[in-house]
Amino acid sequence: NAGVTQTPKFRVLKTGQSMTLLCAQDMNHEYMYWYRQDPGMGLRLIHYSVGEGTTAKGEVPDGYNVSRLKKQNFLLGLESAAPSQTSVYFCASSYGRQAGNTIYFGEGSWLTVV
Amino acid sequence: AQSVAQPEDQVNVAEGNPLTVKCTYSVSGNPYLFWYVQYPNRGLQFLLKYITGDNLVKGSYGFEAEFNKSQTSFHLKKPSALVSDSALYFCAVSASGSARQLTFGSGTQLTVLP
């Protein structure tokens, strides 16, 4: 039972490089999310998706793009990485739109931009 | 706007003693409250949630939390702490009609001393 799977787990980028973080969930969830975690700041929502083919901005969307071409996958792209994007990135998913639905998280992707 | 405050960055408790991790929230409408735990270099694991009903919510690993509407609090508790409970704990809140708007606190590092 994999749940939410993220790849890669660790990555070092040079400033200006691009990369894509991959997220897959096998729970048939409609909603998917990308968060970033920085020390002392909790988790902040970058982008989210309420279904296949849809995406929306969260709290800190600048510098990131996302795509949800398949229900089970949610991709996070950095077009031109900056040191401020050094962070831990978490993908998550939930069943539906109700606020009480539990959100399930992946194991995280540690990204360093030098 | 909704917010969560975890007033203690660090909580230390002796093994076998009761533990409390504090959380207060601010939200318009009915709150949906969550506790997650994060072990080093891992993703967030769901512990418990309050949706409605009984103010005392029981969750995984012997944890429980008490919803107090008048004090807008949702403190996490455990009667007898274990060394293995040492981790980072996050409180989160969302409001009805906004499943995507899960707001996290900044986290509390719990250390259980043997």
Side-chain angles (χ1 to χ4, degrees):
Chain A
N1 190 3
V4 180
T5 304
Q6 297 179 225
T7 54
K9 185 153 182 139
F10 301 98
R11 183 76 187 268
V12 178
L13 283 179
K14 294 182 179 179
T15 298
Q17 285 185 320
S18 64
M19 76 160 295
T20 300
L21 296 176
L22 310 178
C23 177
Q25 53 93 3
D26 62 2
M27 297 175 281
N28 200 34
H29 285 169
E30 289 292 333
Y31 278 45
M32 295 188 74
Y33 315 80
W34 276 106
Y35 288 87
R36 61 177 287 172
Q37 182 182 24
D38 301 292
M41 301 186 73
L43 275 77
R44 294 180 292 168
L45 182 64
I46 304 171
H47 286 280
Y48 65 96
S49 168
V50 302
E52 181 178 324
T54 73
T55 63
K57 294 180 180 180
E59 182 184 355
V60 288
D62 294 342
Y64 305 95
N65 58 75
V66 289
S67 64
R68 182 109 181 259
L69 299 179
K70 294 183 178 180
K71 184 177 183 179
Q72 64 268 34
N73 296 335
F74 194 32
L75 279 59
L76 177 71
L78 285 72
E79 291 186 347
S80 179
S84 61
Q85 294 178 304
T86 294
S87 188
V88 184
Y89 292 86
F90 288 99
C91 180
S93 69
S94 65
Y95 179 70
R97 65 178 297 127
Q98 288 82 9
N101 284 321
T102 300
I103 295 180
Y104 296 92
F105 287 82
E107 291 288 287
S109 296
W110 275 254
L111 176 64
T112 301
V113 183
V114 298
Chain B
Q2 58 195 42
S3 63
V4 175
Q6 293 182 244
E8 301 160 317
D9 292 335
Q10 175 83 38
V11 170
N12 296 326
V13 64
E15 188 174 28
N17 283 1
L19 69 87
T20 299
V21 182
K22 296 180 180 178
C23 171
T24 59
Y25 67 90
S26 174
V27 69
S28 298
N30 294 323
Y32 299 88
L33 294 153
F34 301 78
W35 276 103
Y36 286 85
V37 60
Q38 184 180 30
Y39 297 99
N41 299 320
R42 304 294 299 275
L44 277 69
Q45 297 180 27
F46 169 73
L47 276 180
L48 53 80
K49 67 180 178 182
Y50 171 83
I51 305 300
T52 186
D54 195 346
N55 289 344
L56 184 63
V57 179
K58 294 187 182 297
S60 307
Y61 313 121
F63 284 93
E64 58 188 28
E66 186 168 9
F67 171 65
N68 188 317
K69 187 174 183 179
S70 63
Q71 297 186 2
T72 62
S73 67
F74 189 57
H75 301 331
L76 182 70
K77 300 181 180 183
K78 188 174 182 182
S80 179
L82 300 172
V83 172
S84 57
D85 293 330
S86 299
L88 186 58
Y89 290 81
F90 288 99
C91 182
V93 67
S94 65
S96 56
S98 59
R100 60 192 178 274
Q101 299 292 343
L102 188 64
T103 301
F104 285 84
S106 56
T108 298
Q109 180 66 49
L110 172 69
T111 300
V112 181
L113 305 169

